[in-house]
């Protein structure tokens, strides 16, 4: 099993959710986060005064999936979240040792 953590633009959330549903990936956790990457934020102007916004609003998705499903999920996220501009986001994939469904006590792939 793998955990897929994805950071995307907030305005791409609905596109990504819809695309994931179309491939049968329904379980996910969504968080509103702030962050910055290589662009180090943006400079805005308000009434003639420039100011720097160095932490931009982003949306974080967490998905735990069977190892064999990871490539399809990642490809779907990339296609649906990509704008081609700086700030599109990142995807991090890491192993998951165990999953336990609290309600039934099921473990492993059955609990996903």
């Amino acid at each position: 099993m793998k955990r897929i953590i994805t950071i995307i633009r907030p305005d791409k959330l609905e596109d990504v959710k819809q695309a994931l549903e179309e491939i049968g990936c329904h379980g996910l956790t969504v968080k509103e986060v702030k962050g910055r990457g290589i662009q180090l934020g943006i400079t805005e102007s308000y009434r003639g005064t420039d100011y720097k916004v160095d932490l931009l609003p982003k949306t974080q998705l967490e998905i735990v999936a069977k190892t064999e499903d990871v490539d399809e999920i990642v490809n779907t996220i990339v296609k649906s979240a990509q704008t081609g501009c700086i700030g599109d986001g990142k995807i991090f994939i890491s192993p998951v040792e165990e999953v336990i469904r609290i309600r039934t006590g099921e473990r492993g792939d059955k609990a996903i």
Side-chain angles (χ1 to χ4, degrees), residues 26-63:
H26 303 290
L28 59 95
T29 301
V30 178
K31 301 177 191 175
E32 293 179 12
V33 296
K34 290 186 179 189
R36 68 178 190 190
I38 59 173
Q39 82 262 31
L40 301 177
I42 57 174
T43 301
E44 299 255 342
S45 193
Y46 180 73
R47 295 189 180 193
T49 303
D50 289 342
Y51 63 95
K52 186 165 179 95
V53 179
D54 65 345
L55 294 176
L56 301 172
K58 298 290 180 180
T59 299
Q60 178 178 320
L61 307 173
E62 276 190 53
I63 300 168

Side-chain angles (χ1 to χ4, degrees), residues 3-100:
R3 179 170 73 163
I4 304 164
I5 298 175
T6 305
I7 309 293
I8 60 172
R9 296 172 181 270
D11 60 320
K12 298 302 282 181
L13 176 60
E14 290 305 317
D15 294 341
V16 172
K17 280 182 8 186
Q18 182 177 349
L20 289 170
E21 284 182 25
E22 289 173 5
I23 64 165
C25 180
H26 303 290
L28 59 95
T29 301
V30 178
K31 301 177 191 175
E32 293 179 12
V33 296
K34 290 186 179 189
R36 68 178 190 190
I38 59 173
Q39 82 262 31
L40 301 177
I42 57 174
T43 301
E44 299 255 342
S45 193
Y46 180 73
R47 295 189 180 193
T49 303
D50 289 342
Y51 63 95
K52 186 165 179 95
V53 179
D54 65 345
L55 294 176
L56 301 172
K58 298 290 180 180
T59 299
Q60 178 178 320
L61 307 173
E62 276 190 53
I63 300 168
V64 175
K66 295 177 185 177
T67 301
E68 58 267 20
D69 296 336
V70 169
D71 286 341
E72 182 180 19
I73 291 169
V74 167
N75 291 336
T76 299
I77 292 169
V78 169
K79 286 178 190 172
S80 57
Q82 191 174 57
T83 68
C85 299
I86 290 177
D88 275 353
K90 295 241 181 353
I91 298 174
F92 306 94
I93 302 169
S94 58
V96 172
E97 290 185 29
E98 184 69 271
V99 175
I100 302 161

